[in-house]
Amino acid sequence: MDKTRRSFIGKGVGMSMALGFPALVRGKNLNGKVQVAAVGVNGMGFSDFSNIASHEKVQHVALCDVDLDRFDKAAEKAPTAKKFQDFREMFAQMGDQIDAVSVSTPDHMHALVAIEAMKRGKHVYCQKPLAHTVWEARQMRLWAEKTGVVTQMGNQIHSALEYRLGTRLIQDGAIGKVIEVHSWISVSGNERTRLLAPPKSGPVPKNLAWDLWLGCAPEREFAPEAYHPFVWRDWQDFGGGGLGDFGCHVLDPVFTALKLKAPLSVVADNSGINEHVWPVNETVRWTFPGSDLTAGKTLNVTWTDGGLKPARKLAKMPPELDLPGGGSIFIGEKGNMVLAHVAAPRLYPADKFTGFSYPDVGKKPIHWHRWVDAILGGEKTTDGFDYAGWLAETVQLGNVATRMATRPADSRGGHNIDPAHGATLLGWDAANMKFPNHPEAEKLLTKIYRKGWEVPAA
Ligand SMILES: NC(=O)c1ccc[n+]([C@@H]2O[C@H](COP(=O)([O-])OP(=O)(O)OC[C@H]3O[C@@H](n4cnc5c(N)ncnc54)[C@H](O)[C@@H]3O)[C@@H](O)[C@H]2O)c1
């Protein structure tokens, strides 16, 4: 390894922090490529690996996956990268050679891997939903702030022209001040396994280090086709249901356009839930403080998933059109905007916007490359944890509210988010991370970590 480079990296962020420089100065001075480690290299991890590897200034030096059978595609493209099953071993052996880490594991391990990377001064690209709990989302933001590393959440559509145009239209006042927002996704929180409790265990495949896959989650036995790969999403111990899966995508342009941070309150109901799985569908409503972009002193953002959509008539679309499978309706004082997940924004009622001149939002940047460019001293990422942390907290707050709505998981019940009729409205004191009117719900802000796998507080 190049001696100058090694001595520079050896000083790393510790030096830049001590001198008060932002960490991205470090990237500018790298005399070679940004040396990246990928944690979770199949599924979305392969997309992250490939998109990061396609930057000419990147070299992958380490690949980590708990499943030996899932290395092949990435290993073929990065034959010199060293392979690991345990990310802790990877940091122990190669810490001084890694500049940046991409985290594409299941959700329950995001915060632990990302924070262990940030603690060591590594820049981090972390898949959505960034974290598994409200507390973890807060720690992600605080660790990024403390270490000054370059961060980006992996909700890549943040950089898509469709979303950039949608957020620009809201900020330019195309529909006037915003009265309310309705966001939805067709995906259900319990559609992969349709199980309601852990199934009978089965032998762990030789290629899989099950204990490492479990990581910080409570002990449970492996069962084929119940958790790994992909279907872990249905389980509260590993995923976040429909909202956890898509909230950081669909709500991202709502957050960017309206410059949202912490809500004032959240309330939810769902089709039925127990302590194991997420509901088939849910309705969540956050109330945010108003701003110069909103019509009222507060703004309601309502989320539905699992096949529930807002009333079509809210959008004022032409009769031949229907709402897309996912997206948001922004209802404004001068019109409405439907921003599909993912398609160009549409302004309604159509006759009001005939001949409307859409602004130019430039070329499509590559989300993954924006992170690498920022490491190399380029423009700051717009989806860093300083922004994404708030979005992730809000998504996880929705999941706390969902878990407070205790209809039995097999009831497929109706929805009631009206606090006047019994729904639990959680007032949110963001500064202190408290629900002053429902302290008993505060235990759901975090989770119990398996011994030895605790996420360090910032
Ligand atoms: N941005 C997007 O559009 C998008 C799309 C799909 C998934 N995702 C996100 O990507 C992440 C992965 O989802 P997926 O669908 O690819 O899941 P998956 O289960 O298919 O793949 C996860 C990969 O990580 C590996 N892995 C699991 N635990 C690990 C650990 N502790 N250390 C190292 N490797 C580990 C698995 O073996 C597997 O190869 C999730 O956070 C998910 O929310 C994002």
Side-chain angles (χ1 to χ4, degrees):
M1 182 187 189
D2 183 292
K3 226 175 150 207
T4 329
R5 185 176 190 288
R6 182 188 283 274
S7 58
F8 191 85
I9 289 168
K11 289 170 189 161
V13 169
M15 178 191 76
S16 63
M17 278 168 61
L19 296 176
F21 295 133
L24 57 81
V25 171
R26 177 171 176 265
K28 236 184 200 169
N29 291 306
L30 292 177
N31 59 2
K33 296 188 173 186
V34 180
Q35 301 201 157
V36 179
V39 183
V41 295
N42 216 311
M44 191 60 197
F46 184 64
S47 172
D48 289 338
F49 163 84
S50 308
N51 280 292
I52 291 168
S54 69
H55 193 293
E56 59 175 11
K57 285 280 184 188
V58 162
Q59 182 181 10
H60 274 90
V61 292
L63 303 176
C64 176
D65 202 296
V66 294
D67 187 339
L68 294 174
D69 279 1
R70 291 174 68 87
F71 276 101
D72 46 354
K73 287 191 289 179
E76 199 178 304
K77 285 194 165 189
T80 58
K82 200 156 176 207
K83 292 191 234 126
F84 296 89
Q85 270 189 300
D86 185 339
F87 73 94
R88 299 165 305 180
E89 190 68 18
M90 180 186 84
F91 284 133
Q93 280 190 36
M94 292 192 67
D96 66 339
Q97 292 167 60
I98 296 167
D99 301 318
V101 178
S102 64
V103 182
S104 317
T105 63
D107 303 356
H108 69 287
M109 286 295 283
H110 285 182
L112 186 58
V113 180
I115 289 173
E116 288 300 335
M118 288 192 277
K119 259 174 65 184
R120 291 167 173 77
K122 316 298 177 201
H123 307 290
V124 173
Y125 182 98
C126 182
Q127 259 313 322
K128 59 83 193 162
L130 203 65
H132 193 213
T133 66
V134 177
W135 182 82
E136 284 185 350
R138 177 70 58 102
Q139 303 315 308
M140 291 285 263
R141 179 168 64 78
L142 296 179
W143 271 110
E145 189 181 289
K146 191 166 166 176
T147 56
V149 295
V150 176
T151 55
Q152 179 98 306
M153 175 156 70
N155 51 338
Q156 65 282 0
I157 303 141
H158 177 90
S159 296
L161 289 186
E162 293 87 345
Y163 273 16
R164 285 156 63 94
L165 180 58
T167 56
R168 170 81 182 273
L169 289 176
I170 296 297
Q171 293 189 347
D172 284 357
I175 60 164
K177 290 182 190 283
V178 175
I179 300 166
E180 59 179 353
V181 181
H182 295 263
S183 302
W184 72 99
I185 194 76
S186 53
V187 169
S188 159
N190 186 357
E191 68 181 10
R192 286 104 194 164
T193 66
R194 294 178 192 256
L195 294 167
L196 296 180
K200 204 166 154 281
S201 61
V204 180
K206 273 208 204 71
N207 46 296
L208 178 66
W210 176 241
D211 189 63
L212 297 179
W213 189 97
L214 270 182
C216 59
E219 292 277 0
R220 79 165 68 187
E221 289 185 24
F222 175 80
E225 292 170 26
Y227 312 115
H228 166 77
F230 191 80
V231 297
W232 47 265
R233 285 164 166 75
D234 285 359
W235 303 93
Q236 288 180 21
D237 278 352
F238 312 125
L243 176 59
D245 214 0
F246 279 86
C248 284
H249 282 308
V250 176
L251 295 170
D252 168 56
V254 182
F255 259 65
T256 303
L258 296 166
K259 303 180 182 168
L260 301 180
K261 283 192 168 173
L264 299 167
S265 65
V266 60
V267 59
D269 198 3
N270 56 62
S271 53
I273 191 167
N274 63 20
E275 75 274 30
H276 299 296
V277 290
W278 294 105
V280 171
N281 59 48
E282 65 197 321
T283 303
V284 180
R285 177 170 297 152
W286 301 267
T287 300
F288 289 90
S291 68
D292 55 350
L293 292 160
T294 65
K297 289 203 175 105
T298 57
L299 172 83
N300 282 344
V301 177
T302 306
W303 169 270
T304 42
D305 60 33
L308 301 175
K309 281 184 184 181
R312 191 193 156 282
K313 64 175 187 229
L314 281 173
K316 301 201 171 114
M317 312 168 87
E320 69 277 13
L321 295 183
D322 204 353
L323 290 171
S328 296
I329 310 175
F330 293 75
I331 299 179
E333 287 183 322
K334 294 198 237 154
N336 297 334
M337 183 177 87
V338 174
L339 184 57
H341 176 77
V342 180
R346 301 274 178 236
L347 300 172
Y348 301 118
D351 54 354
K352 216 170 166 181
F353 293 95
T354 311
F356 181 84
S357 161
Y358 286 86
D360 181 1
V361 288
K363 288 207 183 85
K364 181 184 173 181
I366 300 173
H367 194 62
W368 298 263
H369 288 194
R370 292 175 91 185
W371 173 62
V372 178
D373 290 340
I375 294 170
L376 292 165
E379 214 176 301
K380 186 179 180 301
T381 53
T382 55
D383 202 8
F385 300 172
D386 54 335
Y387 160 83
W390 294 109
L391 170 55
E393 266 190 35
T394 298
V395 163
Q396 298 302 337
L397 276 170
N399 271 345
V400 171
T402 276
R403 290 167 74 189
M404 291 295 286
T406 52
R407 217 181 283 282
D410 53 1
S411 74
R412 303 290 187 268
H415 282 232
N416 169 25
I417 57 163
D418 183 357
H421 293 96
T424 308
L425 180 105
L426 300 170
W428 178 232
D429 171 0
N432 297 305
M433 298 191 77
K434 299 255 179 239
F435 297 120
N437 64 337
H438 278 287
E440 76 278 10
E442 286 163 14
K443 65 176 185 299
L444 300 176
L445 294 170
T446 186
K447 61 186 182 185
I448 296 168
Y449 292 97
R450 197 146 68 104
K451 206 167 170 347
W453 292 88
E454 295 83 4
V455 169

